[in-house]
Amino acid sequence: MPRATAADAAETARSILTAATAHFAEHGYASTSVDDIAKAADVTRGAVYHHYASKPRLFEAVASGLQLHVADAVESAAAGSDPSAALRAGSHAFLDTITEARTARILLVDAPAVLSWSTWRRMDDEGSAAHLRDALRAIGVQPELTVATAAALSGAMNELALWISERPSDASSRRQAHDALDALLDAVAPR
């Protein structure tokens, strides 16, 4: 049997990752099997293990990709704005992006338990939380308070995201969450 090219292997890995993201988002980590993912990706179970070694490693790759997606949305929303507007735009982009159907369940519900709290914190710390700390520095938050302020805002935004996710079809809840976020941001960076 001929060996797959690097491009074929990369495409197989992407296909597995896409199928895994969909299954983890819809069914949760515990209710998703490697067989389900392999079938959805139209590959063998062995191919899943070849590319990702284990179900937890595959989940970590999914979570890492979604963390990058959120961080990119934050960075994109904040680009080109003055520091205060960038903080606000990035924070609202975080809230909107993390509450996308696939993202909230994977990143906020399953990831802290599946990956461990410390791994989840490290992933967040390298992604959108890094942008948040940079934004707080840019608006002049006292250096000794930057990390604590970022932790407080990040925790509040994660809780707001979970609150929105529990009410997926309630537009007023999303609006209220954004209003609450603005009130918190006003305390840090008055308009």
Side-chain angles (χ1 to χ4, degrees):
M1 179 179 285
R3 291 190 161 206
T5 66
D8 291 338
E11 181 55 38
T12 298
R14 275 192 298 277
S15 176
I16 293 167
L17 201 59
T18 299
T21 301
H23 271 271
F24 290 139
E26 184 176 345
H27 306 289
Y29 179 83
S31 297
T32 297
S33 72
V34 171
D35 289 333
D36 294 334
I37 293 165
K39 183 176 179 182
D42 197 27
V43 300
T44 65
R45 178 184 175 108
V48 175
Y49 286 117
H50 171 75
H51 288 282
Y52 295 100
S54 66
K55 181 180 167 185
R57 287 241 179 115
L58 175 56
F59 184 82
E60 185 172 357
V62 167
S64 180
L66 290 175
Q67 283 281 12
L68 288 173
H69 171 67
V70 172
D72 287 347
V74 168
E75 190 172 29
S76 178
S81 299
D82 69 80
S84 183
L87 171 64
R88 197 168 296 277
S91 296
H92 285 283
F94 172 86
L95 194 55
D96 285 335
T97 306
I98 198 123
T99 55
E100 291 171 352
R102 65 187 182 147
T103 310
R105 180 174 194 163
I106 292 170
L107 288 183
L108 297 177
V109 176
D110 285 345
V114 173
L115 300 176
S116 82
W117 181 252
S118 61
T119 299
W120 180 82
R121 294 289 300 156
R122 178 189 47 77
M123 290 172 71
D124 184 53
D125 200 50
E126 294 168 355
S128 56
H131 296 304
L132 180 57
R133 285 190 307 276
D134 290 345
L136 292 170
R137 283 185 201 98
I139 64 163
V141 170
Q142 296 173 8
E144 65 274 10
L145 294 180
T146 300
V147 173
T149 304
L153 285 173
S154 180
M157 286 188 276
N158 286 337
E159 284 298 321
L160 285 170
L162 287 168
W163 189 73
I164 290 170
S165 296
E166 292 170 351
R167 299 156 180 79
S169 58
D170 184 0
S172 68
S173 291
R174 179 172 294 277
R175 197 171 40 258
Q176 289 170 21
H178 279 283
D179 290 347
L181 178 55
D182 275 330
L184 290 170
L185 293 171
D186 286 344
V188 176
R191 292 184 240 192

